[in-house]
Amino acid sequence: MKIDGIVLRELHIPLLRPFETSFGVTRDRRVLLAEIRSEGLTGWGECTAGEHPHFSYESTDTAWHILLHELGPSLAAAEQVEHGGEIPTIFKLVRGHRMAKATLENAIWDLEAQREGITLASLLGGVRDIIPCGVSLGIQKSIPDLLAVIEKELAAGYQRIKLKCKPGWDVKVFEAVRNRFPGITLSCDANSAYRLRDADHVATWDAFDLLMIEQPMWHDDFFYHSILQKRLNTPICLDESINNRRDALAAIENESCRIINIKLGRVGGFSEAIAVHNACLERGVPVWCGGMLESGIGRSHNIAISSLENYSLPGDVSASARYWKEDIIEPEVTVTPQGEIILPDTPGRGYEVRYDLIERLTVRKEIVRSLVTV
Ligand code: OSB
Ligand code: MG
């Protein structure tokens, strides 16, 4: 396929509710989208970088810079691109900046699926047409508030509840939730808020029958997590620590975790997500799809990758209406009363973009390069 043009946009979209983690509160999203035009088709990508470099060193602004001045021009200059799997080679001189890379790579896979007339899920090697869904619940003002939110999400059908936690919002919260909802599938995510000196404290969480404890310690660590994992019955799930297949292999080999959260942006796009998935599958380590408060574009990519065989645990992939007053795709993502998303069966992402709404929400727009003069 010939790349005819690449457009970058930043959209401002308020979240319906603030989302609080151990590193702070997000109220408004700055959503960075890439639109790639090729031979009459348009592929879309979404950058999952946050507004601040807290989850990762990347942010909306670093990604914008790298996309506009490095990755965009090198993709536009590529003579011929046939397959999403070729993109990492085109970007290999740029070190890191995986969320920025994923923005363009994922848009190319989207284009490829459209060109082939197949769903993005089947292009990626997906094997299921229904995926199980969980929700990630931010830190709330009070425990009664949290219990009310859980009640609502369970009523909506979600199959797994993940609680954001941090020192001071952990044991008493888990206790209250377990007392109220003894049988539910429950996990927690500390986003690196603890240290090895907290190991005795974290070990007491075994009493709450958690499905997993996500990223309890340093964002870049395997070694200390392997020490902590030995002291826990509960599986550790790594999120921030896993940037690629090699990291997944190191974490599995060192027994730093027993479950891996794969985020498309964090690992640099679909190619590396498939590589991490396959490495985990071969070693019997289940994976699931993480979320980054994506708009419908990123969400549709998360849905497609979740159809792969070893995405066997419910992901943080939930309905558009949990995040947005109106989503930028049509139809919006909805979840069945059984807590599942039914994959679309139309070519590409399977959700139309609401172009007018995207235009209205755009606060900056830049054309990387157009190889076609019209
Ligand atoms: O660690 O999974 C995380 C959101 C922002 C940054 C990090 C994380 C999250 C979530 C939200 O947990 C998942 C979602 O999109 O619902
Ligand atoms: Mg996480």
Side-chain angles (χ1 to χ4, degrees):
M1 60 182 94
K2 189 170 158 299
I3 309 291
D4 297 325
I6 303 173
V7 181
L8 297 180
R9 297 164 180 274
E10 180 181 334
L11 281 58
H12 283 192
I13 324 182
L15 282 172
L16 273 182
R17 281 168 228 93
F19 187 77
E20 181 170 349
T21 68
S22 63
F23 46 72
V25 186
T26 306
R27 294 171 203 284
D28 301 295
R29 291 293 341 272
R30 294 173 65 191
V31 173
L32 201 172
L33 299 180
E35 179 186 348
I36 306 183
R37 303 216 184 95
S38 167
E39 300 167 6
L41 299 172
T42 306
W44 289 85
E46 173 171 348
C47 184
T48 63
E51 292 69 31
H52 300 282
H54 296 171
F55 174 83
S56 133
Y57 66 83
E58 293 187 80
S59 68
T60 317
D61 289 313
T62 68
W64 182 274
H65 175 86
I66 293 291
L67 282 161
L68 189 61
H69 298 293
E70 300 286 346
L71 305 175
S74 49
L75 180 59
E79 287 286 302
Q80 199 69 16
V81 176
E82 289 310 321
H83 178 46
E86 297 164 8
I87 306 302
T89 310
I90 296 172
F91 293 161
K92 73 174 189 293
L93 282 181
V94 174
R95 205 168 273 186
H97 297 283
R98 286 173 295 272
M99 292 176 177
K101 288 173 177 171
T103 314
L104 295 177
E105 183 189 320
N106 294 353
I108 295 290
W109 283 86
D110 175 15
L111 270 172
E112 186 184 347
Q114 291 178 46
R115 191 195 59 195
E116 300 300 316
I118 58 174
T119 63
L120 179 56
S122 60
L123 180 66
L124 295 167
V127 295
R128 66 182 110 230
D129 46 25
I130 294 181
I131 59 164
C133 307
V135 284
S136 173
L137 303 182
I139 293 164
Q140 308 289 315
K141 287 208 171 60
S142 70
I143 290 179
D145 283 1
L146 175 65
L147 296 177
V149 176
I150 296 175
E151 179 109 54
K152 184 171 136 236
E153 303 297 4
L154 291 171
Y158 288 104
Q159 299 184 18
R160 182 270 284 143
I161 302 287
K162 161 171 142 183
L163 306 175
K164 289 292 187 180
C165 65
K166 65 176 182 182
W169 184 265
D170 51 26
V171 172
K172 65 175 197 291
V173 174
F174 305 151
E175 233 161 32
V177 173
R178 263 297 172 232
N179 281 339
R180 181 73 202 288
F181 306 102
I184 63 169
T185 305
L186 192 65
S187 71
C188 70
D189 184 358
N191 288 113
S192 317
Y194 297 87
R195 297 294 172 256
L196 193 60
R197 63 173 174 267
D198 303 315
D200 287 340
H201 173 63
V202 175
T204 66
W205 305 358
D206 276 341
F208 304 112
D209 190 26
L210 302 174
L211 177 64
M212 68 189 102
I213 298 172
E214 189 176 338
Q215 200 73 40
M217 302 192 291
W218 299 270
H219 70 97
D220 55 357
D221 171 74
F222 302 131
F223 179 71
Y224 295 101
H225 280 94
S226 77
I227 296 176
L228 181 64
Q229 179 68 88
K230 284 184 186 56
R231 300 186 47 185
L232 300 176
N233 295 326
T234 310
I236 289 177
C237 168
L238 289 178
D239 173 353
E240 284 91 322
S241 296
I242 308 294
N243 295 310
N244 49 43
R245 176 177 186 273
R246 202 162 39 77
D247 285 346
L249 293 175
I252 295 168
E253 187 69 25
N254 287 295
E255 299 179 23
S256 310
C257 64
R258 296 186 200 138
I259 298 175
I260 288 180
N261 163 339
I262 303 180
K263 286 182 178 160
L264 288 174
R266 199 194 67 228
V267 303
F270 283 128
S271 304
E272 197 64 27
I274 294 168
V276 173
H277 164 274
N278 292 347
C280 292
L281 176 65
E282 286 157 16
R283 288 158 186 80
V285 172
V287 307
W288 54 279
C289 183
M292 293 290 285
L293 311 175
E294 288 92 345
S295 81
I297 307 271
R299 197 163 297 278
S300 62
H301 291 164
N302 286 342
I303 291 169
I305 194 75
S306 299
S307 67
L308 271 61
E309 181 181 351
N310 194 34
Y311 278 78
S312 48
L313 297 170
D316 283 343
V317 184
S318 47
S320 301
R322 293 190 62 248
Y323 305 83
W324 318 111
K325 190 157 137 298
E326 43 181 356
D327 203 342
I328 58 175
I329 54 165
E330 211 162 49
E332 297 202 336
V333 174
T334 55
V335 166
T336 68
Q338 289 73 41
E340 300 159 329
I341 292 173
I342 299 166
L343 268 78
D345 55 10
T346 45
R349 283 180 322 279
Y351 300 85
E352 294 295 328
V353 299
R354 295 179 62 186
Y355 209 84
D356 290 352
L357 182 58
I358 288 177
E359 281 286 341
R360 252 193 291 136
L361 295 169
T362 297
V363 296
R364 64 172 159 167
K365 175 172 166 182
E366 195 110 34
I367 294 168
V368 170
R369 172 172 162 182
S370 175
L371 304 178
V372 166
T373 37
V374 275

